[in-house]
Amino acid sequence: MALIDVSDLHVRFGEVHAVRGVSFRVAEGESYGIVGESGSGKSTVLRAICGLAPISEGRVTVAGEELGRRRSAGFHRRLQMVFQDPYASLHPRHTIDRVLSEPLAIHGFDDREARILRALDEVGLGRGFRFRYPHQLSGGQRQRVAIARALILEPRVMLLDEPTSALDASIQAEVLNLLDRLRAERGLTYILVSHDLAVVAHMCERLLVMQHGQAVEELTRADLRARAARETYTRDLLAASEGYRPAESIR
Amino acid sequence: MTLLHVENLRVTFPTRQGPAEVVRGVSFTLGRERLGIVGESGSGKSQTGRAILGLTPPPGRATADRLEFDGIDLRAATPRQWRGLRGIRMSMVMQDPKFSLNPVMTIGRQLMEAARRTASRAEARDRAMAMLEAVQIRDPARVFGAYPHELSGGMGQRAMIAMMLIAEPDLLIADEPTSALDVTVQIEVLRILDRLVQDRGMGLVFISHDLRLVGSFCDRVLVMYAGRVVEELKAAELAQARHPYTQGLLNCLPRIEGGRRPLPVLTREEGWAL
């Protein structure tokens, strides 16, 4: 049975119909990608799953439990999110220690000291970072803190919203490797949203291409590698991700 | 023909710990071609571009042994000379149209303001409309009367490019001109820049963090690290890069074809920054 089942999801913000009937299933331990350009509704799908955007129509089930308006603390513990901009997602006046102890306090975890130290070690930051402030950290280090904050609650599912697009290429590689290793070690399930096909191809076994709030098509990693896209839009995306080609060679 | 000579360019900012040199002796020449400058954040690539136009933000200071545009010594240029160059013979396109367009002026007025420097009022209007068409805006009349917030990112960036090109500059410095755009729009904007280089013989300095994009778009590439050019090579020969930093940057990118897992990471050596 699928761990996450999204069926015919619609999200409306007033007049704006941001997501128009999207369905997909993600199995336990799988890494699933959502690709699209700005305004395609890919991040909104993620936000609807974790409760930051309203589910206007359709159903979202996680581990058999249908998600309504109110969600249990247990749900939020099992499903954690990492946001795009590591500069905006950490409180500028809280130390890393405070950032990491807050979720532990909310969910009533014991043994907080050891958990914080372990989380810092796991994301490769080390204990020396514990009492620093976000402004003393680089973008890559901040994103590691954001991952540690999500991980510290021992979730089963991580929702990753463009986790590396604000980072330099060399730092991106480090963060992707970290996410890959954590998934293997802990059997996590990922839904990763990105505009970068190469990142998704590297991280995810299956992916959904979105445009204008709708699903264009679902592909496997093998389809992507074989350039076996059925829809024109996906083919355009694939061509664009190869880099620039002068106009003549296309016609 | 050489349009721009840069020799031993240095940009320094005073800090509490003493002066910090962010560009440390960059030299290159530019003809009527597409020159890419790539590097990661903090490598000094943007400050290099700004220094060429004399736009180093105070209290920063730019010095050079030679900084010459079409025979004009830019180091000694008077404010009057600068006014005759910037926006007319040399222009700059910045990364994000949201922050570089005036939010309370229509696109048309902003375009005409740029055109008026070299044309009469009536002519400026025609040139503005023609330029909007040239950057592949399908409905130029609507965009002409629109405010920046009424346009999408891709449209805004095209309007920016139209504005910078309206005076038909000889040199364009484009600082991450397509990084805020979707990939499919990105290709269209590059095509516009490409045509200007081919048809009008403009010189283009294309500053970007995206090695793959620069490699496929430019003729020549400078790779910057810690304020220095560590390698200069032909874009077509990027795959044969010799410097370990360039190789590392290329290798750490994930590929659709896949293969390496974990991705090779870049190990920086102290010697690179010396």
Side-chain angles (χ1 to χ4, degrees), chain B:
Chain B
M1 198 194 92
T2 311
L3 201 59
L4 182 72
H5 282 278
V6 179
E7 252 176 60
N8 196 21
L9 176 70
R10 289 172 185 275
V11 178
T12 319
F13 285 88
T15 67
R16 266 182 273 179
Q17 287 82 38
E21 211 170 26
V22 297
V23 178
R24 307 184 302 152
V26 167
S27 304
F28 63 91
T29 59
L30 176 79
R32 305 208 175 259
E33 59 177 332
R34 295 161 297 191
L35 174 71
I37 301 184
V38 279
E40 297 189 286
S41 42
S43 61
K45 57 188 192 304
S46 293
Q47 289 302 339
T48 302
R50 289 175 152 261
I52 295 168
L53 276 172
L55 293 175
T56 302
R61 275 174 46 82
T63 59
D65 291 348
R66 186 177 181 195
L67 190 61
E68 203 176 282
F69 167 72
D70 199 18
I72 305 162
D73 185 358
L74 297 177
R75 293 172 308 163
T78 58
R80 190 191 165 84
Q81 272 180 306
W82 272 122
R83 283 198 298 277
L85 288 172
R86 282 192 205 123
I88 296 174
R89 297 202 57 203
M90 48 209 289
S91 280
M92 187 158 185
V93 179
M94 311 264 185
Q95 179 167 3
D96 197 334
K98 273 197 219 93
F99 298 115
S100 31
L101 291 169
N102 185 339
V104 294
M105 244 167 111
T106 61
I107 299 294
R109 265 189 70 198
Q110 297 186 55
L111 274 168
M112 281 177 59
E113 187 179 80
R116 280 280 283 148
R117 305 184 59 188
T118 51
S120 72
R121 194 170 185 81
E123 209 182 276
R125 196 187 161 79
D126 293 342
R127 290 235 317 246
M129 290 297 270
M131 205 63 225
L132 286 176
E133 273 171 57
V135 293
Q136 314 283 310
I137 288 176
R138 267 167 223 114
D139 187 359
R142 182 184 81 83
V143 173
F144 191 89
Y147 286 92
H149 74 269
E150 298 174 303
L151 302 178
S152 67
M155 279 295 191
Q157 193 63 318
R158 279 183 243 196
M160 269 292 293
I161 290 174
M163 202 171 300
M164 292 307 131
L165 298 174
I166 202 157
E168 307 197 356
D170 298 308
L171 170 66
L172 181 71
I173 295 172
D175 189 357
E176 305 265 8
T178 59
S179 307
L181 304 179
D182 285 326
V183 277
T184 48
V185 182
Q186 182 176 348
I187 300 292
E188 286 176 51
V189 170
L190 291 178
R191 203 152 280 153
I192 295 163
L193 292 176
D194 195 12
R195 199 167 324 123
L196 289 160
V197 175
Q198 307 282 349
D199 300 352
R200 295 197 195 161
M202 184 179 77
L204 175 68
V205 177
F206 188 88
I207 299 169
S208 175
H209 68 282
D210 189 337
L211 202 54
R212 203 178 282 165
L213 187 70
V214 168
S216 61
F217 178 65
C218 294
D219 303 306
R220 215 151 45 93
V221 182
L222 303 179
V223 183
M224 283 189 72
Y225 182 77
R228 281 183 190 284
V229 175
V230 293
E231 187 162 18
E232 177 183 343
L233 67 174
K234 282 191 185 140
E237 292 164 8
L238 203 59
Q240 288 95 50
R242 264 193 235 117
H243 196 280
Y245 176 66
T246 320
Q247 292 173 346
L249 267 191
L250 276 171
N251 287 334
C252 70
L253 293 170
R255 283 171 219 278
I256 291 178
E257 291 70 32
R260 296 145 315 158
R261 180 179 300 270
L263 291 166
V265 293
L266 189 65
T267 34
R268 291 153 208 273
E269 287 162 34
E270 274 179 33
W272 300 353
L274 294 180

